[in-house]
Amino acid sequence: MTHFLDIHKTPAADLRGIIDNAADMKAKRAGLPKGTPDEDQPLANHMVALIFEKPSTRTRISFDVGVRQMGGQTMVLSGKDMQLGHGETIADTARVLSRYVDLIMIRTFEEQTLLEMAEYASVPVINGLTDRTHPCQIMADVLTFEEHNGPIKGKKVVWSGDGNNVFASFAHAAKQFEFDLTFTGPETLQPEAALDGLYTTERDPMKAVEGADLVVTDTWVSMHDPQSARERRHNQLRGYQVNKPLMDNAKPDALFMHCLPAHRDDEATSEVMDGPNSVIWDEAENRLHAQKAIMRYCLGK
Ligand code: CP
Ligand code: NVA
């Protein structure tokens, strides 16, 4: 069974294959109306379940559109409307779903939910974000970087802000795609210890971005963070906002990325988000292409 659970759990050569396949599929349908079926239909006769225990715009729509372009059918399910949200075990849910669908994508809170789903499902499971990681996002980010600035290998990526789930997948990707990753943020929001050794830390954001090829940030308060922590987090993170002076200290052709949704003028200014170095809309589009390649990989198509 080929699941896509995390970037460090998929061999580096397979990750490279997914990125190349995504770029290829994207090129083939350039300029076509979004609903045009792909020339080949690898997901014909396939049913895909998309389960969401948290809100989503990009993940929900890009997976749904991607499956349809490849000839498959989707079912978008809210975790709370399923028995899953009312006491049925994840293992039993996984066994039952495997009798109806060919592929499961799940966005959930606890990583354990994803892992149990994968353990008990007899169809591939894809991680659509957990409290700990967001691997599909970073596959799209690697694709986006390479489209604009060439191979990511050996490049310098700087993350400014909260050491959260999206950062964690960047850290896994740094090892697999062989780029340098620097974290700049407060000590209190340092990434989890399991990621030690995959990145370096520089507390001073101005110093951190020197020589950067890519500057990335994300929301200061994630979906799994208690709203009560909002003000404290804002106070801790204000100095790590990605603004023009910070971007000016990176390489002139440095890209700016944000997985979105953004809180404009908190973690990044509108000037940067809408500025010449920003590739956030390509990044959002590339969720579609990257995930299509991930689904093909999981299904061996
Ligand atoms: N970036 C991302 O995963 O966005 P959604 O929460 O809208 O899916
Ligand atoms: N870190 C954010 C990412 C959203 C796509 C969250 O988990 O809410």
Side-chain angles (χ1 to χ4, degrees):
M1 190 62 51
T2 309
H3 301 299
F4 188 76
L5 300 179
D6 266 318
I7 287 185
H8 62 301
K9 294 180 180 167
T10 297
D14 293 2
L15 295 171
R16 173 46 58 195
I18 292 169
I19 297 290
D20 293 347
N21 184 226
D24 204 47
M25 280 195 288
K26 179 176 181 178
K28 277 192 183 136
R29 49 175 306 119
L32 294 175
K34 312 294 183 293
T36 312
D38 285 346
E39 242 168 58
D40 40 338
Q41 296 278 281
L43 263 63
N45 305 320
H46 284 69
M47 186 60 81
V48 178
L50 307 172
I51 305 172
F52 291 89
E53 295 197 302
K54 291 174 177 169
S56 167
T57 297
R58 279 141 290 267
T59 307
R60 177 193 307 253
I61 299 169
S62 58
F63 264 103
D64 199 345
V65 170
V67 171
R68 293 180 199 214
Q69 289 181 350
M70 295 193 293
Q73 297 183 64
T74 58
M75 221 174 294
V76 182
L77 305 157
S78 140
K80 67 177 186 312
D81 294 334
M82 295 170 66
Q83 299 291 7
L84 182 63
H86 301 274
E88 186 168 23
T89 68
I90 298 148
D92 289 350
T93 306
R95 291 181 181 111
V96 170
L97 282 177
S98 301
R99 299 292 179 106
Y100 300 133
V101 304
D102 303 290
L103 182 68
I104 300 167
M105 192 290 310
I106 180 165
R107 165 170 288 194
T108 185
F109 288 87
E110 297 288 326
E111 179 180 55
Q112 196 49 33
T113 305
L114 169 81
L115 298 180
E116 256 178 77
M117 188 68 86
E119 186 177 349
Y120 293 98
S122 53
V123 298
V125 174
I126 295 176
N127 177 358
L129 178 146
T130 69
D131 295 359
R132 275 187 95 179
T133 59
H134 195 5
C136 291
Q137 179 66 54
I138 278 46
M139 292 298 281
D141 293 1
V142 170
L143 175 63
T144 309
F145 183 89
E146 297 199 335
E147 267 178 6
H148 285 270
N149 278 5
I152 198 164
K153 184 175 174 176
K155 295 291 187 345
K156 179 175 176 182
V157 177
V158 178
W159 176 280
S160 187
D162 179 23
N164 66 13
N165 47 0
V166 179
F167 175 83
S169 287
F170 254 111
H172 296 145
K175 181 153 187 220
Q176 299 284 58
F177 289 97
E178 300 177 64
F179 58 82
D180 291 327
L181 179 63
T182 300
F183 168 80
T184 186
E187 201 172 345
T188 43
L189 298 171
Q190 190 76 18
E192 61 168 297
L195 302 170
D196 286 357
L198 297 175
Y199 68 95
T200 53
T201 300
E202 168 55 64
R203 294 280 168 233
D204 178 348
M206 276 299 199
K207 260 198 202 148
V209 298
E210 282 171 10
D213 298 286
L214 169 62
V215 179
V216 196
T217 191
D218 185 16
T219 179
W220 287 344
V221 187
S222 283
M223 291 183 274
H224 59 272
D225 291 321
Q227 275 305 314
S228 56
R230 194 178 172 280
E231 197 179 324
R232 187 161 40 86
R233 283 174 159 268
H234 275 234
N235 289 335
Q236 290 170 317
L237 286 160
R238 201 154 284 132
Y240 294 93
Q241 181 192 64
V242 181
N243 47 34
K244 188 156 185 306
L246 194 72
M247 285 306 291
D248 285 347
N249 234 32
K251 279 191 182 164
D253 67 345
L255 302 176
F256 168 72
M257 287 191 200
H258 187 312
C259 67
L260 307 176
H263 299 81
R264 281 176 177 262
D265 301 311
D266 283 346
E267 67 267 18
T269 58
S270 282
E271 190 179 14
V272 167
M273 289 181 64
D274 302 326
N277 300 58
S278 172
V279 290
I280 56 176
W281 313 125
D282 290 340
E283 187 185 0
E285 175 184 340
N286 282 339
R287 294 293 302 281
L288 169 67
H289 309 294
Q291 288 157 191
K292 285 170 73 178
I294 291 168
M295 289 189 276
R296 290 184 79 151
Y297 169 73
C298 288
L299 290 166
K301 301 274 177 188

